[in-house]
Amino acid sequence: MNDFFIKSILKATGAKGLHQIEVIQSLWSGYGSIIRFGLIGCSLKTVIVKHVRFPDSGKHPRGWNTNVSHLRKIKSYEVETAWYRKWSSKTDDSCRIPTCFAVETLGEEVCIILEDLDGVGFPFRKSNVTKVELNNCIDWLANFHATYLNEKPTNLWQIGTYWHLDTRPDELEVLDDIPLKNAASKIDAILNESPYQTFVHGDAKLANFCFSKEGKVAAVDFQYVGGGCGIKDLVYFIGSCLYEDACEAQEETILTYYFRILKSALESKNKHVDFDALEENWRGLYPVAWTDFHRFLKGWSPGHWKINSYSERLSKEVLKSIED
C-alpha cells in the first residue's frame, strides 16, 4: 500500500503509527484486498482497510472475465464509496454496519477505512446458524429496508443486487433453460414495478454478517446496494444459509416473522405506508424474486448446489403465472 493511503489511515484514525496484522481476504477476481492494521498511539487498536486496485487483466474463478464483468466491478466499488460517503450514516444499531472513517482515492485505487467489527463485539462468522441467529439476520434486513423505504438511490445501483439482469448479459446468453430465459425480462420488470421500493443490500448472504457472542449481527460489503423491493434480500439470504428442505418447510414462518419485524421497524422509524398493501405486494413477489436469482444461478454456475427442486418448482409456478 502506497504512502498516500498510509497517511490517510493515520489521519482518519488519529494514530501515530500502524502495522499490518493480516490480509483478511483478497477481493473477487484479484481486485485488491481487505487488510487489518494495528494502530499505535490512538484509542482504536485496529482498523479494517478495503484497498481496491484494478488489475490489468482479471482472473475470474468461473471464467467470467469479460469487459462487462470488469465494468460491473468498477461500478460496484464506485457504488460502495458513494454508499459510505452519502448513505451509511442513516443506519443505526438496528441494522449495524461498520463506521466508515474515511474514503480516499488515488488514480484508479480506492481505500475505504472502516471500523474493525471484531474489535467492537462482532468477531464471529458463521457457516450455519441457530434459529435465534437466523432471526437476528432477518431483523437486520427488515430494519435496513425500513430505514431506506422510498429513498432514491442516488449514486448507487438504480436496481440493486449483484445478479440484476441488466448487469448479467453473459450469464443470460448461455442459459439453456429456454422458458426461463425468455421470461427473464418480464420477471425483472415485475420486481422493478413494485410500488414499494427501498434499498437492498444486494449481497446479503450469510458470509456478509458478523456475529456477537450473543448472536447479534452487523453486516458488511455494500458493493451492490441499490434500489429494489426488500424481498429480494430476504430470498437471497435464506437461500444462502438453508438447504432446500428447510427453505420449503420454513417459508411461511420466515415470511411471517420478516413482515412482523418490518412493520414494527417502519413504525419506529416513522415511515408512513399502507403496510397491508406492502406486505401483500412483497409476499406475492417472493417466488418471483426467487426465480430471478434462480435464473442468474443457472446461467452462472449450472452445477451449483443452490439449484434444487424447490427452486425449480417455484420457477415453474412463476413461469406459468406469467403465461396465464
Side-chain angles (χ1 to χ4, degrees):
M1 187 174 293
N2 62 50
D3 287 343
F4 174 77
F5 288 135
I6 295 296
K7 290 177 180 177
S8 297
I9 298 167
L10 296 175
K11 180 180 178 182
T13 61
K16 303 299 182 184
L18 58 76
H19 60 278
Q20 181 174 313
I21 296 175
E22 62 179 328
V23 176
I24 297 172
Q25 68 180 71
S26 295
L27 299 179
W28 193 247
S29 303
Y31 279 64
S33 55
I34 300 175
I35 308 166
R36 175 175 285 112
F37 285 97
L39 301 176
I40 302 168
C42 71
S43 59
L44 293 171
K45 292 184 179 180
T46 57
V47 71
I48 301 297
V49 175
K50 190 168 188 176
H51 180 214
V52 181
R53 182 170 53 192
F54 301 126
D56 293 330
S57 61
K59 294 183 178 180
H60 194 286
R62 296 191 186 276
W64 297 108
N65 182 23
T66 67
N67 190 51
V68 171
S69 174
H70 177 66
L71 293 176
R72 183 178 62 251
K73 292 182 180 70
I74 291 175
K75 170 72 172 178
S76 78
Y77 292 116
E78 291 174 347
V79 163
E80 189 166 35
T81 58
W83 158 257
Y84 278 116
R85 282 172 169 156
K86 177 178 173 62
W87 293 104
S88 64
S89 61
K90 290 182 177 289
T91 61
D92 57 24
D93 285 344
S94 68
C95 46
R96 182 74 156 83
I97 67 171
T99 298
C100 181
F101 298 120
V103 177
E104 299 289 350
T105 59
L106 181 67
E108 292 190 342
E109 294 183 62
V110 179
C111 184
I112 305 174
I113 305 164
L114 298 166
E115 177 183 35
D116 186 352
L117 289 173
D118 282 17
V120 292
F122 298 92
F124 302 107
R125 312 296 179 263
K126 305 282 184 176
S127 57
N128 51 71
V129 287
T130 65
K131 183 177 180 180
V132 169
E133 291 164 344
L134 179 77
N135 284 347
N136 286 343
C137 292
I138 295 172
D139 288 354
W140 191 99
L141 290 172
N143 277 279
F144 184 82
H145 299 151
T147 298
Y148 295 99
L149 187 71
N150 295 329
E151 297 279 3
K152 302 299 181 186
T154 307
N155 297 326
L156 307 178
W157 294 97
Q158 290 304 297
I159 305 297
T161 70
Y162 76 85
W163 62 90
H164 179 234
L165 182 64
D166 284 352
T167 67
R168 294 290 184 169
D170 296 335
E171 292 81 355
L172 183 65
E173 179 63 28
V174 299
L175 178 61
D176 60 7
D177 185 330
I178 301 306
L180 186 56
K181 185 174 186 176
N182 290 340
S185 294
K186 181 61 176 176
I187 291 166
D188 182 56
I190 291 169
L191 293 168
N192 297 341
E193 289 167 4
S194 168
Y196 304 101
Q197 298 286 317
T198 182
F199 289 0
V200 292
H201 176 285
D203 193 8
K205 59 189 175 186
L206 182 57
N208 281 333
F209 285 94
C210 306
F211 291 81
S212 73
K213 184 178 179 180
E214 300 76 25
K216 295 180 181 179
V217 299
V220 297
D221 196 352
F222 290 89
Q223 289 174 229
Y224 291 94
V225 63
C229 52
I231 205 71
K232 293 197 289 186
D233 271 341
L234 183 65
V235 158
Y236 179 63
F237 170 70
I238 295 306
S240 78
C241 59
L242 296 180
Y243 288 103
E244 64 174 306
D245 290 348
C247 288
E248 186 164 15
Q250 298 183 42
E251 177 184 313
E252 181 57 34
T253 300
I254 287 169
L255 283 169
T256 298
Y257 182 78
Y258 169 78
F259 285 111
R260 177 165 66 82
I261 300 302
L262 180 63
K263 183 177 183 179
S264 176
L266 288 166
E267 290 171 353
S268 68
K269 298 175 191 301
N270 295 313
K271 294 281 187 170
H272 302 291
V273 64
D274 182 340
F275 182 78
D276 290 342
L278 182 153
E279 180 176 356
E280 181 181 10
N281 180 255
W282 283 10
R283 272 184 178 268
L285 292 177
Y286 181 85
V288 181
W290 199 287
T291 302
D292 186 53
F293 182 70
H294 186 60
R295 175 268 312 161
F296 160 72
L297 204 57
K298 290 188 78 171
W300 182 66
S301 180
H304 201 284
W305 67 269
K306 291 182 184 179
I307 298 174
N308 54 50
S309 60
Y310 175 66
S311 299
E312 288 288 349
R313 178 175 65 78
L314 289 183
S315 176
K316 285 181 170 57
E317 289 174 1
V318 169
L319 294 178
K320 185 176 186 306
S321 70
I322 289 173
E323 291 173 3
D324 292 343

